[in-house]
Amino acid sequence: MQMCRLLSLLSAFTVLSSFLAIVDGCDIDESVCGAQAPGDVVIGIMLPSHGKVKAVHERITPENFDCSDFDLSSFVRSLAVMHEIEVINAAGILPGVRLGYLMCDTCSYPSRALQNVEHMLAINGSLDVKCNYSDFRPRVKVIIGARYSEVSISVARLLNVYMVPLLSSSSSSPALSDKLRFPVVIRTVPSDIHQTEALAKMMAYYQWNWVGVVYGDDDYGKAAFQSFLGDAEANDVCVAYQEVLPHYLDHSNSEERIKQAVQTIRSSNAQIVLLILKSELVKVLFKEMIKTNTSRVWISSDAWSRSSSIAQMDDINKVGDILGFTFVSSKSESFDNYLKNLTVTPGGYNHFIEKYKNLRFNCSSECFSSNPPSYCTDILRFKSHNACNFNDPQAQNDDYLVKSTDTSESYLHRVAVWAVANALRKLLKCNDSTCSGEINFPPWKLLRELKKVQFEFNNQKFFFDEHGDFVNGYDLIRWEKDGRRRRIQKIGIYHILDRKIELDVKETTWLLTDNTSTPQSRCSKSCSPGWVKKILNMSCCYNCTECVEGTYSDDKDLPNCKRCPKGTWSLKGWTKCKPRSEFFLRWSDPHPITIIAAAAFGFLLLMFTCIVFLVYRNSLPMKKAEVRLSCVMKAGLAVSFASVILFVGKPNVHLCRARQVMYAMGFTLCVSCILVKAYRTFLVFLPFGQITNRRLHRLYKPPVIVIVLTALQGIICLFWLIFDSPDIDDKPPSPQSMTKMIQCSEGKTYIGFGIMLSYIALLALVGFLLAFKGRKVPQEFSETGYIIFSMLMYLFVWVCFIPVYITSTEESTTVQPSAILVSSYGVIFCHFLPKCYEALWGSKTDTLESILRRWRVISSPSPETDKDTPTMNTVSENTSRVSVSSNSTVLRSSETLSVISPTDSEMAIIPMSKEKIHPYPLFTNHVTKLRNRHRSLSL
């Protein structure tokens, strides 16, 4: 009931307005709608042939609207609809049914458009008030228009009452896709939600993330701006500033607002400006930019992306580069010919064509004077004085419309007519010869068929989606320089379904940079791969930080570093992850080859010395060196050299255990033998009390000492293997390293490893101290110098080994075998090679007599000796040959030196523990006695 009352009031107001117009003598058809062609089914055309209504801000009475600024581009679009209607009629698409049209000028103003709707839907000059309009049958069945979204939104609200379809080919506001609010609206263009997404993706493609936006305060501008904000954020594009302009030029403060927007554009460092404005506002804005000599990269919305009036502006090249998206377009040769031979449809009238021809071909001298009247404004826009023709202007034609406008932009208006024709063909049940359906049908039936229609036009398939929109994509265009003007060039396509930009022109010359390099517009410099953004106050303003170890970034301006997949790693600032390389001593690497060669050479030296020792076993140097004890030492060193080879190759738990045990047992055996040698010298030549000497002599059992000392090392290794066994090191690699160390861990606590090394070091230290005590004993009687040097070398090497092993994780695998080699070679060079030299090339005259003579000279504190005192020298002088029996001894101090030959195969210096010990030294300044114990020296 409430709805009926409202409709009654609306209808009464409409009837009253029509009545008043008639009373005033106004012809509605002539004043409201300027073009008409009769037909069985009439299509309404509601497009602006004028750009604005004069003095709209001063309007206070409901008088008729006075339009100005003839809009040539929109006029051509309306002509395209008329032409396509004539083409369909001529083609017989609807047999027996003729399409007519009623063209009304909206003057780009919503209120004027509502007036047009009232006239189009009026029956007998009025609108009847009804509660149910299901059977409402106006003469206009469908309206094609309007051009601007704001006008379409206003008109659609009224058409919702009557369910008359509104088919737009340029209104792209996202609001019109809402079928709850605008069920009658269908469009042959995509919604701006796709256009703003395309704009944001284009900015991201050119790496522009710092842009300014200027939009109008109408429904179209506000909706498009809100849609762009969401798409910009999704593509990491930030809005540096936003300026709102009055959508109508006659607004009281429009000039002030435009100048304010110009100042904001100039002061901002954003080089990219998106203009969501009508072409009239863009033109005024560009005039201000030209005055201030300011150039930018301008991104156009579909509202002005093909504006010929802007492209023809003076000094348009000074504003900079212009890019944008426009609806799909295509030229028609038939339509171009129609424009060149423009005539009114027979049986109808077209005041717009008449006005255009008057403006184009009718000349008035006063319009070319210094102060032309106001009505000359439109005339001067389309002609020069040279183009004047004083014949009948309605009979004149030329190709001005084809050359001065882009006729391809009316393509979707022609598609809209074909959509209506195909829907009518289905509704009217047409075949190739006739249409049997009812011609005077309610408009809602046509709306139902339009939403379901599918047809082909110019080899393209068209249909409406669930929102009543086409999704046929956009053309990416660029305004190229064409002399002092601009021409539109298509450089790519945006596919709505794929959401991708496809460029046809890869490189172009930019006016802003004057070369092919793309202008930059960023709040912060781009972060290169390997770095990521650290946001400051907004997503486009940031600092660049380097990715840490284990993370990477493989593209520019990523917000976060990516984690490396399992099994891979990266270092600081890397752009990708790689598997860590395994490190161990490979057989083919230089260092392991050197180690193996050194170990092999050590084996050869041992074999060589062993052969020499066996061949010359009866020589004096070999007898002093204890051949059997030396062979045991060589066996231990051979095991040590063998352990070095186990350090090469990829380790496993068995190799880790074997190499440490082999080294421990082998070198312990060698050092035990050296300790026995040092102990022997210590017992023979150093003074002790009689009781102590006897006890120490009892401990001298070389086989037992060697076996016990080596067995203790075996026990240490056994407990080490049981409680803290060596294993593969599972410690994670260093974050700063791309190398994974495959190496042995000498136990979790390293206690067993430390005790093992400490035990060998203890034996070496004891041997060193014993030898150091007997350092004054001549080398002919002992090997104290060799023992001291070899043990000192061993201790020095392993003292250096400990800190290097602890601090150098990556080199620890090579440190220990190197230390083993150095200490082993120290024993060879100190103990075996000198003896070999003596045996092979030593003096043959070194007898025991000469050795003892030299020892007397070294050990005597005074060069003078008691001539009455019997000395070794005295003995030797009376002797022509010295034969040493197996039990003969030479006494010095409290020790007893016995040079025995128990086996005839070797000479040994051993302590005599069972004889009576004399407290007197063998050589002193007061007394030097040589006494026989069991057997005398045979002279």
Side-chain angles (χ1 to χ4, degrees):
M1 185 63 68
Q2 294 291 336
M3 181 61 73
C4 289
R5 291 177 180 175
L6 289 173
L7 293 176
S8 298
L9 290 173
L10 178 61
S11 179
F13 175 76
T14 305
V15 172
L16 180 59
S17 300
S18 302
F19 175 75
L20 290 175
I22 295 173
V23 169
D24 291 339
C26 176
D27 187 345
I28 295 294
D29 284 345
E30 295 293 329
S31 62
V32 178
C33 294
Q36 181 178 346
D40 301 312
V41 177
V42 177
I43 298 175
I45 305 173
M46 196 159 55
L47 293 170
S49 291
H50 292 83
K52 65 178 183 179
V53 174
K54 289 183 180 180
V56 68
H57 60 287
E58 300 174 357
R59 179 182 171 85
I60 58 174
T61 59
E63 58 190 7
N64 195 22
F65 296 96
D66 186 10
C67 299
S68 64
D69 293 353
F70 193 79
D71 191 339
L72 201 60
S73 175
S74 187
F75 169 63
V76 170
R77 297 186 189 194
S78 63
L79 292 177
V81 176
M82 300 174 192
H83 168 69
E84 215 63 35
I85 290 174
E86 294 180 4
V87 170
I88 291 173
N89 288 333
I93 302 299
L94 301 171
V97 177
R98 181 176 178 82
L99 295 180
Y101 60 82
L102 181 61
M103 162 75 183
C104 297
D105 185 5
T106 64
C107 301
S108 305
Y109 191 61
S111 298
R112 170 69 185 230
L114 287 172
Q115 184 186 39
N116 296 343
V117 172
E118 292 175 352
H119 177 64
M120 287 180 177
L121 301 184
I123 301 175
N124 297 324
S126 64
L127 281 173
D128 295 334
V129 178
K130 298 180 180 179
C131 292
N132 188 346
Y133 288 93
S134 299
D135 199 40
F136 177 63
R137 300 170 188 254
R139 57 174 175 167
V140 174
K141 306 299 183 182
V142 60
I143 297 177
I144 295 179
R147 179 177 180 181
Y148 298 112
S149 295
E150 184 188 24
V151 177
S152 295
I153 289 172
S154 300
V155 170
R157 295 186 185 278
L158 179 58
L159 293 179
N160 286 341
V161 177
Y162 309 102
M163 295 303 290
V164 176
L166 178 64
L167 180 54
S168 177
S169 298
S170 55
S171 298
S172 55
S173 172
L176 293 173
S177 295
D178 187 351
K179 296 300 105 176
L180 292 177
R181 296 167 59 196
F182 306 105
V184 299
V185 177
I186 51 178
R187 298 182 286 189
T188 59
V189 294
S191 168
D192 271 342
I193 59 172
H194 303 298
Q195 182 181 185
T196 55
E197 182 180 16
L199 290 169
K201 285 186 177 294
M202 179 187 68
M203 295 172 184
Y205 176 83
Y206 287 113
Q207 299 181 5
W208 298 327
N209 71 352
W210 195 235
V211 302
V213 182
V214 182
Y215 63 97
D217 63 355
D218 55 354
D219 293 332
Y220 165 73
K222 293 176 181 177
F225 175 69
Q226 292 301 321
S227 178
F228 174 75
L229 287 180
D231 294 320
E233 183 177 0
N235 288 275
D236 297 325
V237 177
C238 297
V239 176
Y241 58 85
Q242 55 187 24
E243 289 291 331
V244 186
L245 299 182
H247 71 283
Y248 207 73
L249 283 176
D250 286 342
H251 196 276
S252 58
N253 63 342
S254 60
E255 184 177 354
E256 178 184 352
R257 296 280 294 277
I258 290 173
K259 289 184 178 180
Q260 179 182 344
V262 170
Q263 182 60 33
T264 302
I265 294 171
R266 295 189 65 206
S267 60
S268 174
N269 62 346
Q271 299 297 304
I272 313 301
V273 185
L274 172 61
L275 300 181
I276 310 175
L277 299 169
K278 293 179 180 179
S279 58
E280 293 81 7
L281 286 171
V282 174
K283 193 171 182 179
V284 175
L285 183 68
F286 277 180
K287 286 180 180 179
E288 292 293 328
M289 303 307 297
I290 292 170
K291 288 179 182 179
T292 58
N293 198 26
T294 304
S295 61
R296 293 288 186 271
V297 176
W298 307 94
I299 309 298
S300 66
S301 65
D302 63 89
W304 65 276
S305 58
R306 285 186 174 273
S307 175
S308 58
S309 61
I310 298 177
Q312 301 298 319
M313 284 179 60
D314 293 334
D315 297 325
I316 186 62
N317 293 327
K318 292 183 178 180
V319 299
D321 300 278
I322 301 176
L323 290 85
F325 287 99
T326 184
F327 304 126
V328 176
S329 60
S330 178
K331 273 189 171 291
S332 169
E333 185 178 354
S334 173
F335 179 52
D336 287 351
N337 291 331
Y338 171 77
L339 294 178
K340 294 175 183 178
N341 301 280
L342 204 55
T343 57
V344 179
T345 304
Y349 60 88
N350 195 321
H351 297 310
F352 304 110
I353 293 178
E354 293 175 2
K355 182 171 184 179
Y356 163 71
K357 289 191 173 186
N358 285 330
L359 292 172
R360 175 64 182 161
F361 301 110
N362 190 20
C363 293
S364 175
S365 58
E366 59 185 356
C367 289
F368 296 95
S369 62
S370 58
N371 294 309
S374 60
Y375 68 84
C376 293
T377 303
D378 291 336
I379 296 175
L380 294 174
R381 288 178 55 201
F382 304 123
K383 63 188 294 185
S384 65
H385 188 68
N386 295 331
C388 291
N389 192 324
F390 296 97
N391 297 323
D392 182 11
Q394 302 306 317
Q396 305 299 317
N397 276 301
D398 62 6
D399 59 355
Y400 177 75
L401 289 176
V402 176
K403 290 183 176 180
S404 62
T405 63
D406 183 5
T407 59
S408 64
E409 66 179 343
S410 61
Y411 173 69
L412 291 178
H413 292 76
R414 295 160 47 215
V415 172
V417 178
W418 280 96
V420 173
N422 281 274
L424 284 173
R425 185 175 175 85
K426 185 70 178 295
L427 178 63
L428 300 179
K429 302 175 183 179
C430 298
N431 52 33
D432 293 338
S433 58
T434 184
C435 294
S436 60
E438 182 183 6
I439 295 177
N440 189 20
F441 53 84
W444 62 266
K445 290 186 178 181
L446 179 59
L447 176 63
R448 182 180 60 189
E449 294 299 332
L450 275 172
K451 290 183 177 181
K452 298 184 295 183
V453 72
Q454 294 188 14
F455 63 98
E456 287 189 4
F457 182 71
N458 282 2
N459 299 320
Q460 283 185 293
K461 189 174 183 180
F462 295 95
F463 62 92
F464 299 98
D465 64 7
E466 65 273 16
H467 304 294
D469 304 330
F470 276 6
V471 286
N472 48 356
Y474 298 95
D475 289 340
L476 175 58
I477 62 169
R478 174 182 175 82
W479 288 31
E480 297 287 347
K481 288 179 66 175
D482 186 16
R484 298 182 60 186
R485 302 290 184 261
R486 293 290 186 93
R487 59 181 176 86
I488 296 172
Q489 180 185 8
K490 177 183 173 183
I491 62 172
I493 302 173
Y494 178 75
H495 300 281
I496 290 178
L497 298 179
D498 297 336
R499 297 183 175 182
K500 291 181 179 179
I501 294 176
E502 179 182 340
L503 288 181
D504 300 328
V505 179
K506 300 297 182 181
E507 289 189 358
T508 185
T509 301
W510 297 83
L511 298 180
L512 207 62
T513 59
D514 201 26
N515 52 43
T516 56
S517 60
T518 305
Q520 296 296 311
S521 182
R522 304 182 65 86
C523 180
S524 302
K525 289 188 69 175
S526 179
C527 292
S528 59
W531 299 69
V532 291
K533 300 185 296 187
K534 184 178 180 182
I535 306 300
L536 299 177
N537 54 352
M538 62 174 61
S539 62
C540 300
C541 302
Y542 48 80
N543 291 328
C544 296
T545 59
E546 202 170 11
C547 288
V548 299
E549 295 84 356
T551 62
Y552 71 101
S553 66
D554 54 358
D555 202 357
K556 292 182 178 180
D557 297 328
L558 290 182
N560 296 297
C561 296
K562 302 177 183 178
R563 287 281 178 186
C564 285
K566 188 175 181 181
T568 62
W569 195 251
S570 67
L571 298 183
K572 194 173 184 181
W574 276 27
T575 59
K576 61 181 179 180
C577 296
K578 298 179 181 178
R580 275 191 167 112
S581 60
E582 293 184 346
F583 175 81
F584 53 87
L585 295 182
R586 302 178 187 274
W587 293 95
S588 58
D589 292 343
H591 198 166
I593 290 175
T594 305
I595 291 175
I596 296 171
F601 185 69
F603 275 116
L604 293 176
L605 284 178
L606 290 176
M607 291 177 63
F608 169 75
T609 57
C610 185
I611 292 172
V612 172
F613 267 59
L614 292 177
V615 171
Y616 293 92
R617 62 184 178 275
N618 293 322
S619 66
L620 182 61
M622 296 307 171
K623 290 183 178 181
K624 289 189 294 182
E626 295 284 356
V627 174
R628 284 181 294 186
L629 201 61
S630 296
C631 288
V632 175
M633 290 173 60
K634 292 172 186 177
L637 289 179
V639 175
S640 295
F641 279 125
S643 70
V644 170
I645 299 176
L646 300 183
F647 282 85
V648 182
K650 188 172 183 179
N652 56 52
V653 63
H654 302 297
L655 289 177
C656 293
R657 295 170 181 174
R659 69 192 190 185
Q660 296 296 348
V661 173
M662 287 177 64
Y663 165 69
M665 299 304 295
F667 210 79
T668 300
L669 181 62
C670 178
V671 174
S672 299
C673 295
I674 295 173
L675 189 145
V676 168
K677 289 186 176 185
Y679 186 55
R680 180 189 63 184
T681 305
F682 176 79
L683 289 179
V684 172
F685 293 102
L686 293 182
F688 282 101
Q690 187 175 0
I691 297 175
T692 305
N693 203 349
R694 288 176 180 174
R695 290 176 181 172
L696 292 175
H697 279 71
R698 290 191 190 99
L699 294 177
Y700 184 73
K701 296 182 174 13
V704 176
I705 293 174
V706 172
I707 292 172
V708 170
L709 293 179
T710 307
L712 285 176
Q713 183 68 284
I715 294 172
I716 291 172
C717 291
L718 179 63
F719 279 97
W720 181 18
L721 294 176
I722 293 174
F723 296 105
D724 194 15
S725 176
D727 204 343
I728 300 298
D729 191 0
D730 58 355
K731 184 172 63 177
S734 169
Q736 290 80 27
S737 174
M738 283 300 294
T739 303
K740 182 179 181 182
M741 300 291 297
I742 308 297
Q743 61 182 359
C744 295
S745 170
E746 314 305 342
K748 296 180 180 178
T749 60
Y750 285 81
I751 293 177
F753 183 58
I755 294 175
M756 181 269 287
L757 293 179
S758 299
Y759 179 72
I760 300 176
L762 178 63
L763 295 181
L765 181 62
V766 172
F768 168 77
L769 293 176
L770 292 176
F772 187 78
K773 280 290 187 181
R775 66 187 181 279
K776 292 185 178 181
V777 176
Q779 192 67 29
E780 292 83 351
F781 289 112
S782 68
E783 299 175 343
T784 53
Y786 298 135
I787 295 172
I788 289 173
F789 190 76
S790 63
M791 293 298 98
L792 192 62
M793 180 184 295
Y794 170 81
L795 292 173
F796 177 78
V797 167
W798 287 95
V799 166
C800 295
F801 160 78
I802 293 172
V804 174
Y805 184 85
I806 293 174
T807 57
S808 301
T809 305
E810 295 185 359
E811 300 175 1
S812 60
T813 306
T814 60
V815 170
Q816 189 176 358
S818 300
I820 294 172
L821 289 174
V822 173
S823 55
S824 298
Y825 271 104
V827 174
I828 292 175
F829 282 101
C830 290
H831 288 270
F832 302 139
L833 292 183
K835 296 302 179 185
C836 292
Y837 176 81
E838 291 178 15
L840 294 173
W841 297 288
S843 174
K844 305 299 182 181
T845 62
D846 262 350
T847 61
L848 180 59
E849 179 184 354
S850 62
I851 293 172
L852 292 177
R853 186 185 302 113
R854 289 199 302 271
W855 185 25
R856 179 182 61 80
V857 174
I858 295 171
S859 60
S860 296
S862 173
E864 298 178 357
T865 57
D866 191 352
K867 294 182 180 180
D868 297 330
T869 303
T871 64
M872 187 62 68
N873 191 33
T874 305
V875 176
S876 63
E877 287 175 357
N878 299 324
T879 306
S880 61
R881 182 178 57 88
V882 178
S883 63
V884 183
S885 66
S886 60
N887 291 324
S888 61
T889 62
V890 179
L891 301 179
R892 182 187 181 276
S893 301
S894 61
E895 298 173 32
T896 302
L897 176 65
S898 177
V899 183
I900 63 173
S901 299
T903 62
D904 293 336
S905 63
E906 65 180 27
M907 177 179 286
I909 301 176
I910 62 172
M912 300 296 294
S913 59
K914 295 183 179 180
E915 307 304 324
K916 182 179 179 181
I917 307 299
H918 288 259
Y920 304 104
L922 182 60
F923 302 105
T924 64
N925 289 331
H926 302 288
V927 135
T928 303
K929 295 182 179 181
L930 179 62
R931 298 182 180 180
N932 294 331
R933 289 301 181 219
H934 295 283
R935 295 182 184 178
S936 62
L937 291 172
S938 298
L939 302 179

